[in-house]
Amino acid sequence: MALAVFFGTSGAVVPYARAADTLPPIVSPPVSSVLPGKIVYAQLTTPDLAQAKTFYGSLLGWTFRDVRVSRGHYAQAMAGGHNVAGFVEQPLPSGDRPRHEPVWLPFISTADTDALARAAQGWGGKILFSPKDIPGLGREAIIADPQGGIFVAIRSASGDPADTDTPTVQGEWIWSALLTGIPANAAGFYQKLFSYQVEGGQDESGESRYVLESQNYDRATVNPLPPRLPASAPARWMNFVQVDSVGAAAEKVSQLGGRVLVEPHLDRNDSMIAIVADPAGAVFGIMEWHVPAVAGEAR
């Protein structure tokens, strides 16, 4: 049995460690709470771990702890003393580079990984990595929704981090959005899996958008694909991290060898955001949110 992670757009699952390896827990010290539907963690697969650590450490102030695994290399990313992400090093497959890209995966909490995986298949999803116990992390499965959006369903071995009213600070994840061709269908799929309450609305262009809510907290939005992408493009999750200044962070992204894909701008809720890519091409969002708000409130 091997631990595994989805890497790229071709549907490949690549092993990076054996079951004897123990990865750092999501919550330390452990707690008993389970908050289904909450996005509790993220994992980056990258071809160059050293480069990624330099980039994210310099940009966000993350610190890292290398973790010994049987295959490849793994590092734990920390922000403010909290475990925020796992970094997995995997080389790009030779001869097929256009079909593969480094990727950030969101981890969504569930009370029962196996039942959720079965339900996902029943509603048109695809299991990329069958439910397995990942020592230290918990029981996880990697799933593609019917439109291709990839996420990890996890029953954390250490419980889920509590919701809090404390404002998010630089380096902490603040929001997640699913970009997808048919938002209404995607919202329905995730509602069935995680029992989300779903609120819908339209933006100024008439496009439908949805908010996914659990435990009375807004967890994520479901948005249409940006116009620059064809309607047939696969869905993708976008994770946003809090920064003190989106403008300054965007400049630093370029200085550190990354790219700014969407320039800093105000979103429809007057938060400053930008979409960027790290030097290896992994895409994520940066957000500047200064107004104190209940954690999880729609951004």
Side-chain angles (χ1 to χ4, degrees):
M1 184 189 304
L3 313 187
V5 63
F6 176 85
F7 184 85
T9 57
S10 67
V13 176
V14 181
Y16 66 87
R18 297 189 182 279
D21 300 319
T22 299
L23 302 185
I26 293 175
V27 181
S28 182
V31 296
S32 59
S33 60
V34 178
L35 303 173
K38 181 173 182 176
I39 298 174
V40 295
Y41 196 59
Q43 187 166 275
L44 172 69
T45 301
T46 179
D48 190 332
L49 181 59
Q51 180 189 63
K53 288 162 64 175
T54 297
F55 175 84
Y56 289 96
S58 299
L59 180 68
L60 303 174
W62 286 356
T63 58
F64 296 90
R65 181 169 72 89
D66 292 326
V67 179
R68 184 181 297 275
V69 292
S70 300
R71 299 180 182 176
H73 300 90
Y74 185 96
Q76 174 190 24
M78 305 285 291
H82 303 293
N83 184 7
V84 293
F87 279 39
V88 181
E89 184 176 71
Q90 288 289 350
L92 288 172
S94 60
D96 195 23
R97 295 177 67 91
R99 298 185 61 203
H100 293 79
E101 60 184 7
V103 63
W104 274 106
L105 287 181
F107 282 49
I108 308 178
S109 173
T110 178
D112 188 331
T113 304
D114 295 74
L116 187 140
R118 290 192 297 269
Q121 280 189 303
W123 291 108
K126 182 178 180 180
I127 308 304
L128 303 179
F129 177 56
S130 298
K132 295 288 190 303
D133 290 319
I134 309 302
L137 277 183
R139 190 164 181 81
E140 69 177 48
I142 303 178
I143 299 170
D145 68 34
Q147 297 178 56
I150 302 164
F151 64 96
V152 180
I154 186 167
R155 173 64 189 262
S156 170
S158 56
D160 294 336
D163 291 313
T164 174
D165 294 344
T166 303
T168 307
V169 299
Q170 170 148 322
E172 295 180 345
W173 298 109
I174 188 171
W175 195 241
S176 294
L178 176 67
L179 310 179
T180 186
I182 310 176
N185 290 2
F189 174 81
Y190 286 92
Q191 182 181 38
K192 294 181 181 76
L193 292 189
F194 295 100
S195 299
Y196 285 125
Q197 293 77 51
V198 178
E199 293 190 12
Q202 292 184 329
D203 60 19
E204 60 278 1
S205 67
E207 296 273 15
S208 295
R209 300 173 185 270
Y210 299 88
V211 177
L212 306 179
E213 177 187 307
S214 69
Q215 297 88 40
N216 296 316
Y217 284 85
D218 293 347
R219 301 302 188 188
T221 49
V222 181
N223 302 333
L225 288 168
R228 63 184 175 84
L229 294 177
S232 60
R236 69 279 314 273
W237 278 94
M238 183 73 63
N239 305 299
F240 288 82
V241 65
Q242 169 80 21
V243 295
D244 295 333
S245 168
V246 165
E251 289 185 8
K252 197 165 187 178
V253 164
S254 298
Q255 294 167 3
L256 292 169
R259 293 178 294 142
V260 178
L261 304 179
V262 178
E263 293 289 341
H265 65 280
L266 289 174
D267 73 357
R268 64 186 187 282
N269 291 320
D270 293 327
S271 301
M272 186 67 73
I273 66 172
I275 307 298
V276 301
D278 68 20
V283 178
F284 63 102
I286 51 177
M287 179 178 287
E288 184 181 335
W289 179 259
H290 293 303
V291 179
V294 175
E297 185 177 352
R299 305 306 185 193

